[in-house]
Amino acid sequence: MGFLDLIKSRNKELEFMFDFDLIEETSKKIHMKQLAIQTCINMIGRTISQSEFYVKKYKKIVKDDMYYCLNVRPNPNMSASQFWQTVVHKLIYDNECLVIQSDTEDLLIADSFTRVEYALVNDSFKDVTIKDFTFSRTFQMSDVIYLEYSNKKLSTMLDGLYADYGELFGRIIEFQKRKNQIRGLVNVESTYEKDEKTQRRLQGYIDKIYKAFTDKSVAFVPQQKGFKLEELKNNTQAQSVDEVNKVADGFLNQVAKALGIPISLLHGDMADVEKPTRNYMTFCIDPFLKKIKDELNAKLIDKKDYLAGKKMETKRVSNINMFDVATAVDKLRASGTFNGNELREALGEERVDDPIMDRYFITKNYQESSEALKGGEEDEA
């Protein structure tokens, strides 16, 4: 046998050995990104779905068909809470949401559409698709409710962030799975034939050994001639479960910051809940409601009616306990700063028709400082 024949024979043996499947691939299908996004979006959606949308005219709530549509049944297939959760989900995740009104005056959320932008006239929307139905007509901007969240899609922004966190998370998961991994070497003598039949037989034998070690607490493997199995000692320092949770929480925190959700509130910390809740409602929920309210005013209320005092209003879920602020309410009422109906609106309640609630009262002896310096009453002579 010449030198070249020896090289070819050796390469054939190496190729024969590399054909065996001795290493199990680690799964990289990690759902950390979707879990973080859905957790934050669902939290915002649940909060906004508890809000009330109504038309206010001359300081009174108008309860008409529009009120029923926005707060009870926007369309035959969705309740109001489900409708607004879907709007928020599409608004945040897709960066935009299109709501059209059907011929039966139902509000429908578009699954997909094509927006045609113009400089001086209304934009138009074509190829509007809802489930499996596509409208043949084109909708004008003035005839739809169109909400846009920001200039960049949240999903696009998070893809870059997840590239680093996902790789780190995958490495820690891999180390954790290798904690009790069985490792070994398989020595195969070169006397084995290199044909496909022998490869299948040896591969089947290796698979049986792996399955026995994986599924059974006690496993005995028969040893074959020319085939030696040697177990290696596992010295891998495995990461703790806390390290896995820290990476997942780190990514969740970044998503929460992008949406304005206080981290302590998201993780359910019970210490000092009042301040994070107030910040959450002020910096996260109120901007969403303001965006929705402005669009509803622009599309559902005429300019003349709006200037005359008719407008859309929103009442979000209140985080105020009226019993905790009863003393402050009493002082505001007793000092004449607010009347009863104004205080009711501040507490999230409707105005009442009782005339006394529109009057101002001062029950304290407020007086100027110069009057306070004077003495008591003079005795009559």
Side-chain angles (χ1 to χ4, degrees), residues 81-306:
S81 59
Q82 183 182 1
F83 175 84
W84 289 113
Q85 285 191 49
T86 305
V87 168
V88 172
H89 187 279
K90 293 186 71 65
L91 179 59
I92 297 177
Y93 194 77
D94 296 336
N95 191 48
E96 58 185 356
C97 179
L98 176 66
V99 179
I100 65 171
Q101 191 174 36
S102 65
D103 295 334
T104 56
E105 297 186 351
D106 294 323
L107 296 181
L108 304 174
I109 302 174
D111 294 323
S112 63
F113 57 89
T114 301
R115 179 182 179 182
V116 181
E117 299 185 30
Y118 300 98
L120 303 177
V121 296
N122 284 334
D123 293 349
S124 61
F125 299 89
K126 60 181 183 179
D127 301 328
V128 178
T129 302
I130 300 175
K131 295 184 179 179
D132 57 348
F133 179 77
T134 302
F135 287 87
S136 57
R137 59 173 169 160
T138 299
F139 295 86
Q140 300 300 317
M141 176 64 81
S142 57
D143 300 327
V144 301
I145 298 174
Y146 178 73
L147 300 168
E148 193 170 11
Y149 179 56
S150 62
N151 296 327
K152 189 177 291 187
K153 284 188 177 182
L154 177 67
S155 58
T156 304
M157 180 190 69
L158 293 178
D159 284 341
L161 180 64
Y162 180 70
D164 296 330
Y165 272 95
E167 182 180 357
L168 179 61
F169 189 75
R171 291 292 182 89
I172 295 179
I173 290 292
E174 181 182 352
F175 290 151
Q176 186 70 20
K177 292 177 67 175
R178 292 173 60 188
K179 181 178 180 180
N180 295 316
Q181 182 188 45
I182 298 176
R183 301 178 182 180
L185 296 176
V186 178
N187 298 322
V188 181
E189 293 185 2
S190 59
T191 55
Y192 278 98
E193 295 292 335
K194 309 302 186 296
D195 56 15
E196 185 177 352
K197 180 179 179 181
T198 305
Q199 290 188 34
R200 287 199 304 267
R201 182 170 62 85
L202 290 177
Q203 183 65 62
Y205 182 62
I206 293 173
D207 292 341
K208 289 181 180 179
I209 296 176
Y210 176 78
K211 183 175 179 58
F213 288 156
T214 303
D215 298 341
K216 299 178 181 179
S217 58
V218 179
F220 294 95
V221 178
Q223 196 79 346
Q224 293 188 7
K225 182 179 179 181
F227 188 95
K228 183 179 179 182
L229 177 65
E230 179 184 356
E231 184 176 352
L232 300 178
K233 185 177 181 181
N234 189 355
N235 294 322
T236 302
Q237 184 67 31
Q239 301 289 330
S240 65
V241 179
D242 291 339
E243 295 295 326
V244 178
N245 294 334
K246 285 180 181 179
V247 176
D249 289 343
F251 183 76
L252 178 62
N253 294 344
Q254 296 296 329
V255 178
K257 288 180 180 179
L259 295 175
I261 302 177
I263 297 174
S264 59
L265 192 64
L266 187 65
H267 291 292
D269 297 341
M270 299 305 296
D272 195 12
V273 179
E274 183 178 353
K275 290 182 179 179
T277 301
R278 187 185 302 117
N279 291 337
Y280 169 64
M281 301 302 292
T282 303
F283 301 111
C284 180
I285 299 303
D286 286 348
F288 276 101
L289 291 177
K290 180 67 166 58
K291 190 183 296 290
I292 295 173
K293 183 177 68 173
D294 289 347
E295 182 68 7
L296 293 178
N297 272 315
K299 302 302 174 60
L300 302 180
I301 307 296
D302 293 335
K303 179 180 178 180
K304 182 179 179 181
D305 293 335
Y306 183 85

Side-chain angles (χ1 to χ4, degrees), residues 315-347:
K315 185 175 74 173
R316 59 173 170 82
V317 56
S318 177
N319 62 317
I320 300 176
N321 187 338
M322 63 179 63
F323 297 103
D324 294 337
V325 298
T327 302
V329 170
D330 178 64
K331 289 183 177 180
L332 291 172
R333 179 76 159 131
S335 64
T337 307
F338 295 94
N339 62 35
N341 276 325
E342 291 172 340
L343 290 173
R344 287 181 61 85
E345 288 183 333
L347 292 173

Side-chain angles (χ1 to χ4, degrees), residues 320-373:
I320 300 176
N321 187 338
M322 63 179 63
F323 297 103
D324 294 337
V325 298
T327 302
V329 170
D330 178 64
K331 289 183 177 180
L332 291 172
R333 179 76 159 131
S335 64
T337 307
F338 295 94
N339 62 35
N341 276 325
E342 291 172 340
L343 290 173
R344 287 181 61 85
E345 288 183 333
L347 292 173
E349 301 294 332
E350 295 185 28
R351 301 174 68 95
V352 294
D353 293 331
D354 193 345
I356 198 174
M357 296 299 290
D358 292 322
R359 299 176 61 184
Y360 294 86
F361 294 93
I362 298 179
T363 61
K364 301 292 184 179
N365 293 326
Y366 291 101
Q367 56 185 357
E368 295 181 358
S369 58
S370 59
E371 294 293 330
L373 294 176

